[in-house]
Each structure stands twice: as structure tokens, then as C-alpha cells.
Amino acid sequence: MLDRLFTYDFHEFISLLAVGFTLVHVIVLMLDNYMPYSIAQILVPFISPYRPFWVGVGVIAFYVILLVTITFYLRNRIGTRAFRAIHVVSLLGYIGVTLHGYFSGTDTALPSMKILYDVSGLAVLFLTVYWLVLLGLRNAEKRRQAAAALAAKATQNQRVPVR
């Protein structure tokens, strides 16, 4: 099992990296001579001149990723429960980014991109299932411990003599 501090820092770094690469992507789009994007077309979902639905999905996914990244710095203020709930939403951000790239990316037909989508998708699917299985096992163990404690208490109450 990996150290929690390492995984927390690693996730924070990956989030910052995603935001950074997205900003590079935005700058390149704005400087593109063939089809330059305006700030509004980049920030407002579904108004892009090119595949507006899928570009809009990408814009929304970026906002989700930005929200998740910001929560690393707000964790003490929002609490662990909200922090974790928002981070579960990051899966929707990943799905949105992947769909955006797949359906609006000009390189999607390249074999290398198909491999990238397949490998990253399978990795995320595997890790999500792994996380859900671990979560289920932890919850089952908590229920087992609670039932054992309740049974022990009931047994203890039966042994107490009545005066």
C-alpha cells in the first residue's frame, strides 16, 4: 500500500499538471491561424464553431478539473467529506475530457491516439473498480466489527446478575 502523503501529493501534482496542459491547449487554440478561438468560445460551453457539443463537454470537464484542483488548497475549510465527494466527481471530469478528445480531436484517427484512449480508459476503469472493491471490503469489515461489538455487549449484559 502506498503512503497516504505520497498519494495526496501525487494527486495534487497531477491535477496541477492537467490544468497546466489545458492552459497550453487553450493558448495554442487562441494562436491558431486556421481556426482561432476567442476567449468566449473557450470559456463558454457549446458556442464553439467546431463541433460545439464535444468542445462544450471539454470546457465543462475543464471546470470540473479546476474545481478538483482548487479543493486541494481548501481541504481544511471545506472538510474531508466535501473534499472526497468533489474528488469522486473528478471521474466525470476524466470522462468528459476523454470524450472531448475522442470526438473533437483532430488526431483521434491516429493509431497512437486510439492506443492512448484505450490504455488510459482501461487503467482508469481498473483503478475505479479496485477502489470500489476496497471500499466495499472496508465497509463490510466495519459492519462485521460493529456486529461483533454489539454481540459482545449483549453477551455482557446477559451475564450481569440482577439484584
Side-chain angles (χ1 to χ4, degrees):
M1 182 85 61
L2 294 173
D3 181 67
R4 283 181 178 246
L5 186 59
F6 169 78
T7 57
Y8 182 85
D9 287 345
F10 181 72
H11 279 87
E12 181 181 5
F13 174 76
I14 293 296
S15 291
L16 290 170
L17 198 61
V19 170
F21 277 123
T22 304
L23 292 176
V24 169
H25 178 57
V26 164
I27 291 167
V28 168
L29 286 174
M30 291 179 71
L31 298 175
D32 186 5
N33 289 328
Y34 181 72
M35 185 182 282
Y37 276 73
S38 69
I39 263 301
Q41 292 169 329
I42 287 173
L43 295 177
V44 180
F46 312 115
I47 67 167
S48 165
Y50 176 77
R51 299 187 182 168
F53 179 78
W54 295 113
V55 172
V57 167
V59 171
I60 292 170
F62 173 67
Y63 291 145
V64 169
I65 290 168
L66 195 58
L67 171 68
V68 170
T69 302
I70 289 169
T71 61
F72 279 105
Y73 305 100
L74 299 175
R75 185 176 184 180
N76 292 334
R77 288 187 179 165
I78 64 174
T80 302
R81 176 174 269 157
F83 176 81
R84 288 185 177 165
I86 291 169
H87 276 71
V88 169
V89 174
S90 69
L91 287 171
L92 295 177
Y94 169 79
I95 291 168
V97 165
T98 302
L99 291 172
H100 163 75
Y102 189 82
F103 289 109
S104 67
T106 56
D107 296 333
T108 299
L110 295 175
S112 59
M113 291 308 296
K114 289 183 185 227
I115 290 170
L116 176 74
Y117 289 130
D118 291 346
V119 169
S120 70
L122 288 173
V124 169
L125 178 64
F126 170 77
L127 291 171
T128 302
V129 169
Y130 178 73
W131 171 67
L132 290 172
V133 167
L134 285 181
L135 194 62
L137 291 173
R138 268 192 232 126
N139 288 339
E141 179 62 20
K142 285 179 185 177
R143 284 192 303 273
R144 188 195 64 73
Q145 288 176 352
L150 194 60
K153 189 172 183 172
T155 303
Q156 184 182 20
N157 288 340
Q158 288 175 353
R159 293 183 190 167
V160 175
V162 178
R163 293 184 190 189

